[in-house]
Amino acid sequence: MRYLLLGLLLAQMASAQNTDPFPTPPNQKGLQVQMVDDALALGIHHAGINVNLTALFDAQSKPGSGDFVFNQNYLASLDRQIKPLSDKGLLVYLIIIAYPSKNPAIDAIVLHPGHRKDYKFSVGAVNTTSGFLSAVMNLLAERWSGAHLDHGRVWGWIIGNEVNSHFLWNNMGLVPLETAASEYEKAFRIMHTAIRRHSQNSRTYLSSDHHWSSSMHNVSPQEATPGRDFLDTFARLVRERGDFDWHVAWHPYPEDLGNPRAWADKTVTHDDNSNKATFKNLEVLPKHLEHPELLFNGKPRRIILSEQGFHTLLNPEGERLQAAAYAYAWEKIQSLPTIDAFIYHRHVDHAHEGGLRLGLWRNAPNSVADPYSRKLIYELFQKAGTPAWRSAADALLPVTGLQKWVPAASE
């Protein structure tokens, strides 16, 4: 009887897995969504949504017993973002991040034990030893990537944010590259295992900023690493510990985030030793992923561009430069077949983003991110991937000073 019950349980688990193939949408147009109805009107096919792990922790949890309780109000709020998008056929990608909660009891369970408590950071690395990560990821994967559609469907899981900068965006303390990549690999593997339990074909992504062979300026190697080196070290550790299908979520901001002229980056090169991988030399990334040791089942890892936008300068050409930068980026990715999504950031300008105005919308005066009015880029973005794109984009080519949108690497 014992073995019969076990067999029935295993059969139920197998039948509960979502076996649908990963979808193939019409094009790469995506957005980190703030307003669902507006995002649908823009005709996007990919949507990025942040999920805060510390906000999911409920104080009723009893971690010592492995009994975790999850914040049902927060889960329901995420349902309200995910389901209207996935019901319309959009691919939803969740960005799984752990913001410090400022509650020491919660942070001790959710955040990496080595995170610098005396340092103001944006996102912490996750704790792989408390049991919370496995429990919460099983819940999320079953809820949004499992066999049932009650709460909406998620196809992409972005594990952390710009994890090669592990002092600010993946804080685990002062550690060298090997340790940073190893700790991230442990967390990634836990999440991937949970997701695979419920979905055969959802994808998981490593997240990196635009630094390639160099790391963030004025930061020690114990705090940040080159994206290329982090990626390669992570890949080696995965192979050594048991390879699986992982993919890449890159952030190819211009070399200067305050200058929207992506085509004019002066420091980047078109070879594997470039300091950064931006839109100007984006081909560096997919070419690197063709290295034999990085392939999976003989094929390169897939790429999404999960967070990048273009600043609006406060001058007469500001909005035209922002729109031209989007046109330049869109044209560039059409020539790179392993890039599946271009998820623009932001939907609306955000007052707490270091003075950057990246949105398709202006924010209302004296607000953080309340939508106020549309910028020139809005209409261009709406036309991306439609027959109206060509004339709208080409009208902006003179802004760039280029003869064509995608010059050869030698030009």
Side-chain angles (χ1 to χ4, degrees), residues 54 98-130 165-175 179 183 222-223:
T54 54
Y99 293 109
S101 70
K102 300 181 181 179
N103 180 326
I106 294 175
D107 289 350
I109 298 298
V110 181
L111 300 189
H112 191 283
H115 77 273
R116 296 164 69 183
K117 302 173 181 63
D118 59 344
Y119 181 83
K120 186 177 181 181
F121 60 97
S122 298
V123 177
V126 291
N127 192 327
T128 60
T129 62
S130 67
S165 292
H166 59 271
F167 75 112
L168 187 62
W169 298 109
N170 194 41
N171 192 310
M172 62 180 71
L174 296 170
V175 297
T179 303
E183 291 298 290
Q222 300 270 314
E223 296 175 303

Side-chain angles (χ1 to χ4, degrees), residues 186-363:
K186 292 175 189 175
F188 198 115
R189 188 176 292 272
I190 289 170
M191 297 192 206
H192 182 273
T193 299
I195 292 160
R196 275 291 164 269
R197 187 171 291 121
H198 300 285
S199 174
Q200 193 175 98
N201 295 302
S202 293
R203 291 179 180 170
T204 50
Y205 300 87
L206 174 152
S207 172
S208 179
D209 60 24
H210 65 176
H211 292 91
W212 185 246
S213 69
S214 66
S215 58
M216 192 176 292
H217 188 55
N218 288 333
V219 173
S220 79
Q222 300 270 314
E223 296 175 303
T225 71
R228 180 195 63 188
D229 299 354
F230 190 98
L231 186 154
D232 287 349
T233 306
F234 169 83
R236 172 176 56 78
L237 292 167
V238 172
R239 291 194 305 275
E240 291 172 357
R241 298 170 182 177
D243 206 1
F244 58 82
D245 52 316
W246 55 267
H247 304 279
V248 177
W250 199 257
H251 297 173
Y253 283 103
E255 61 182 11
D256 175 359
L257 273 62
N259 183 355
R261 302 171 183 86
W263 56 88
D265 285 351
K266 292 180 171 59
T267 64
V268 304
T269 61
H270 295 272
D271 59 70
D272 201 52
N273 291 316
S274 176
N275 65 332
K276 296 180 176 67
T278 71
F279 277 109
K280 184 174 182 178
N281 67 336
L282 189 54
E283 67 278 3
V284 165
L285 173 60
K287 186 175 180 180
H288 186 83
L289 290 172
E290 292 174 0
H291 289 181
E293 67 273 17
L294 295 176
L295 303 179
F296 185 74
N297 290 338
K299 296 180 180 179
R301 315 283 174 165
R302 306 302 299 185
I303 300 167
I304 61 172
L305 311 179
S306 58
E307 185 210 306
Q308 55 286 302
F310 304 106
H311 177 54
T312 312
L313 296 168
L314 295 179
N315 63 35
E317 281 290 283
E319 287 196 30
R320 283 173 59 78
L321 284 168
Q322 183 194 33
Y326 183 82
Y328 174 81
W330 181 266
E331 290 292 317
K332 186 63 176 278
I333 65 171
Q334 304 313 307
S335 66
L336 301 172
T338 56
I339 296 180
D340 296 320
F342 173 13
I343 301 173
Y344 189 80
H345 171 89
R346 284 185 176 261
H347 203 155
V348 181
D349 285 348
H350 197 283
H352 299 160
E353 198 154 38
L356 294 174
R357 293 173 289 277
L358 307 175
L360 308 178
W361 287 73
R362 300 174 191 84
N363 61 321

Side-chain angles (χ1 to χ4, degrees), residues 27-228:
N27 58 54
Q28 304 98 329
K29 183 162 66 172
L31 181 65
Q32 286 194 3
V33 174
Q34 179 175 328
M35 301 174 289
V36 171
D37 289 345
D38 188 63
L40 294 172
L42 283 162
I44 64 171
H45 300 289
H46 309 264
I49 297 172
N50 287 347
V51 174
N52 179 10
L53 290 179
T54 54
L56 285 163
F57 185 92
D58 192 292
Q60 299 177 64
S61 296
K62 298 177 181 178
S65 65
D67 182 13
F68 292 101
V69 180
F70 302 101
N71 184 333
Q72 295 300 313
N73 289 334
Y74 184 41
L75 285 167
S77 74
L78 290 166
D79 290 344
R80 290 192 293 272
Q81 295 177 68
I82 294 165
K83 189 168 172 54
L85 297 167
S86 66
D87 282 356
K88 294 292 186 179
L90 276 68
L91 272 68
V92 177
Y93 304 77
L94 297 187
I95 306 161
I96 307 299
I97 46 185
Y99 293 109
S101 70
K102 300 181 181 179
N103 180 326
I106 294 175
D107 289 350
I109 298 298
V110 181
L111 300 189
H112 191 283
H115 77 273
R116 296 164 69 183
K117 302 173 181 63
D118 59 344
Y119 181 83
K120 186 177 181 181
F121 60 97
S122 298
V123 177
V126 291
N127 192 327
T128 60
T129 62
S130 67
F132 176 78
L133 184 60
S134 179
V136 73
M137 285 307 300
N138 270 290
L139 169 76
L140 302 185
E142 196 268 342
R143 189 181 187 93
W144 294 313
S145 287
H148 307 291
L149 289 168
D150 304 12
H151 301 286
R153 167 71 72 231
V154 169
W155 279 108
W157 299 80
I158 300 166
I159 309 303
N161 178 68
E162 299 188 351
V163 295
N164 58 310
S165 292
H166 59 271
F167 75 112
L168 187 62
W169 298 109
N170 194 41
N171 192 310
M172 62 180 71
L174 296 170
V175 297
L177 167 61
E178 185 78 14
T179 303
S182 178
E183 291 298 290
Y184 179 67
E185 192 278 342
K186 292 175 189 175
F188 198 115
R189 188 176 292 272
I190 289 170
M191 297 192 206
H192 182 273
T193 299
I195 292 160
R196 275 291 164 269
R197 187 171 291 121
H198 300 285
S199 174
Q200 193 175 98
N201 295 302
S202 293
R203 291 179 180 170
T204 50
Y205 300 87
L206 174 152
S207 172
S208 179
D209 60 24
H210 65 176
H211 292 91
W212 185 246
S213 69
S214 66
S215 58
M216 192 176 292
H217 188 55
N218 288 333
V219 173
S220 79
Q222 300 270 314
E223 296 175 303
T225 71
R228 180 195 63 188

